[in-house]
Amino acid sequence: MLEKGKYLKTLCVVDPELKNFVGHYYEYDKSLRDISITSGYRFVVLGNKAVIPDISKELSVENTFSRGIWEPFTLLTFIPVFGWRIEGVFSNFVFFIKLLTSLSHKRVSSDWTVFCHMLTHRQLLGWVLWLLTFRKRSRPRLVLLFRFSSSWIDCGLAHITFRLLKKFKLENRLVLGTDSKHLSIEHAE
């Protein structure tokens, strides 16, 4: 066991949905915190700005995101013909800016693992853009977990982003995973 306050590595969970006890988000993040600390990792969680005080205190949540992963910029969707496409790109850009300001080069290094256990097409490109801002040797390990339904990531923007992601997978800094048998069969490349 390491001395108190001495950590080998950092696990950072990015969870824009962490707000309250509804759903699986709190329990999932709490479990990750517990195993991280037991394993000698420093634990960081970026949650929603609306997180309730009890969770914020218990998990030392950094109140980062003002929108959850399911919340579109609704007004953009009303633009004729291209509204949903514009909204997807804009959502990714806003997410990227939040990542860049919260997980900057000054803070994050190659000994960090950054984990996102739930994302949609509204965040996927933001993750790639964020990872691209790091020099190759200082990139953290990024683990993205895709869950449940491919409809959440099955769009033109996501397909373009997946092509970009292939580059990072070869560098062993990106891990794409799923806990869904259906998704693993459907996207077995």
Side-chain angles (χ1 to χ4, degrees):
M1 189 65 142
L2 297 170
E3 292 178 42
K4 188 174 182 173
K6 302 285 184 183
Y7 302 101
L8 294 174
K9 297 184 178 190
T10 299
L11 174 64
C12 174
V13 173
V14 175
D15 189 354
E17 290 296 321
L18 180 60
K19 301 173 194 170
N20 51 41
F21 295 106
V22 177
H24 67 275
Y25 304 101
Y26 163 74
E27 289 295 333
Y28 204 96
D29 296 342
K30 182 176 181 273
S31 296
L32 289 168
R33 190 259 338 248
D34 294 346
I35 193 68
S36 295
I37 291 172
T38 301
S39 300
Y41 280 69
R42 181 169 64 112
F43 183 77
V44 175
V45 62
L46 305 184
N48 197 289
K49 288 181 179 180
V51 68
I52 62 173
D54 289 348
I55 292 176
S56 186
K57 184 178 178 182
E58 179 184 355
L59 298 180
S60 300
V61 177
E62 294 183 22
N63 302 350
T64 305
F65 301 97
S66 56
R67 300 178 96 67
I69 65 172
W70 308 109
E71 299 172 58
F73 288 91
T74 309
L75 288 177
L76 293 175
T77 66
F78 292 114
I79 297 171
V81 184
F82 297 109
W84 281 104
R85 290 182 180 130
I86 293 169
E87 190 282 328
V89 172
F90 187 75
S91 288
N92 273 279
F93 182 73
V94 169
F95 186 73
F96 162 68
I97 295 300
K98 286 293 183 185
L99 289 174
L100 196 58
T101 56
S102 301
L103 299 174
S104 70
H105 301 147
K106 292 179 181 178
R107 180 179 190 191
V108 177
S109 63
S110 61
D111 66 343
W112 279 52
T113 298
V114 180
F115 178 58
C116 179
H117 58 81
M118 182 72 97
L119 70 149
T120 72
H121 69 284
R122 289 188 181 92
Q123 299 84 39
L124 186 58
L125 181 59
W127 279 114
V128 173
L129 294 174
W130 174 75
L131 201 55
L132 279 170
T133 66
F134 287 85
R135 290 185 177 163
K136 188 175 181 176
R137 68 177 180 272
S138 63
R139 283 187 185 130
R141 173 163 291 198
L142 176 58
V143 180
L144 301 176
L145 183 63
F146 296 93
R147 309 189 82 191
F148 308 120
S149 172
S150 62
S151 66
W152 299 343
I153 53 170
D154 196 13
C155 66
L157 181 59
H159 293 293
I160 291 167
T161 306
F162 278 119
R163 282 188 225 128
L164 292 172
L165 284 175
K166 286 184 179 184
K167 174 183 176 186
F168 300 114
K169 189 168 183 164
L170 296 174
E171 295 178 52
N172 200 28
R173 300 313 295 162
L174 176 70
V175 177
L176 302 177
T178 183
D179 60 359
S180 163
K181 184 176 182 180
H182 169 73
L183 283 178
S184 65
I185 291 169
E186 189 175 333
H187 298 280
E189 27 179 318

